[in-house]
Amino acid sequence: MKNVAICCAAMVTSLVGIGGVDAAYAHGAADKGKSEMQKLHEELDQMKAREAIRELPIIYCNYVHKKDIDAIVDLFTKDGSLTLSEELGSGATGSEALRALYAKSIAESAPWPLVHSHHVTLVDSTHATGSIYAEIR
């Protein structure tokens, strides 16, 4: 089994715009002056954004298993990056580099990626950072 650390901040960034999450709210700051309804809407938006982000690695693993390189690369932003552990190489940044990396790495394998240890931080209503770990079997 090989362990691959996937820094998916760039992929995550493309999905967070789903909900309008206020940065102060996302980090637990006081919401003075907001109605209870506004607070509930913000909380719902935050939950929807987090759920969309949680789905992203599952979709990613499905595309890796199917060897759908174009679909994998489309999950990343144009300047997205994949960070690999030292024994696997340096990874890649940008759509073309990612496409080349995936074409080379999964062309002759039968990958079964398993993801775990999701960590997501909502920065504001359109940005998030995060990381995830994947085991490729």
Side-chain angles (χ1 to χ4, degrees):
M1 162 182 25
K2 296 181 180 180
N3 291 327
V4 181
I6 302 170
C7 295
C8 61
M11 290 192 311
V12 168
T13 300
S14 66
L15 283 180
V16 178
I18 293 170
V21 181
D22 180 78
Y25 183 74
H27 294 288
D31 288 320
K32 294 180 181 175
K34 293 185 179 178
S35 72
E36 286 301 313
M37 188 58 77
Q38 287 172 313
K39 291 177 189 177
L40 286 172
H41 280 290
E42 287 176 354
E43 186 174 349
L44 180 59
D45 287 343
Q46 181 183 15
M47 290 168 55
K48 288 172 23 184
R50 284 188 184 280
E51 186 57 30
I53 293 166
R54 280 189 194 103
E55 258 185 50
L56 184 59
I58 297 164
I59 294 165
Y60 169 84
C61 288
N62 184 46
Y63 290 154
V64 169
H65 180 67
K66 290 180 175 182
K67 299 182 182 185
D68 189 341
I69 295 169
D70 289 331
I72 295 168
V73 173
D74 285 346
L75 291 174
F76 290 85
T77 58
K78 298 296 179 206
D79 61 347
S81 65
L82 175 71
T83 304
L84 301 172
S85 59
E86 285 184 28
E87 65 267 9
L88 293 176
S90 61
T93 300
S95 297
E96 292 309 312
L98 287 164
R99 188 170 277 104
L101 176 85
Y102 282 107
K104 180 181 176 185
S105 66
I106 65 176
E108 296 180 16
S109 64
W112 283 91
L114 305 167
V115 295
H116 58 88
S117 303
H118 301 66
H119 178 261
V120 175
T121 301
L122 298 174
V123 176
D124 59 30
S125 63
T126 59
H127 296 87
T129 61
S131 62
I132 185 170
Y133 292 90
E135 295 177 23
I136 310 296
R137 298 179 182 202

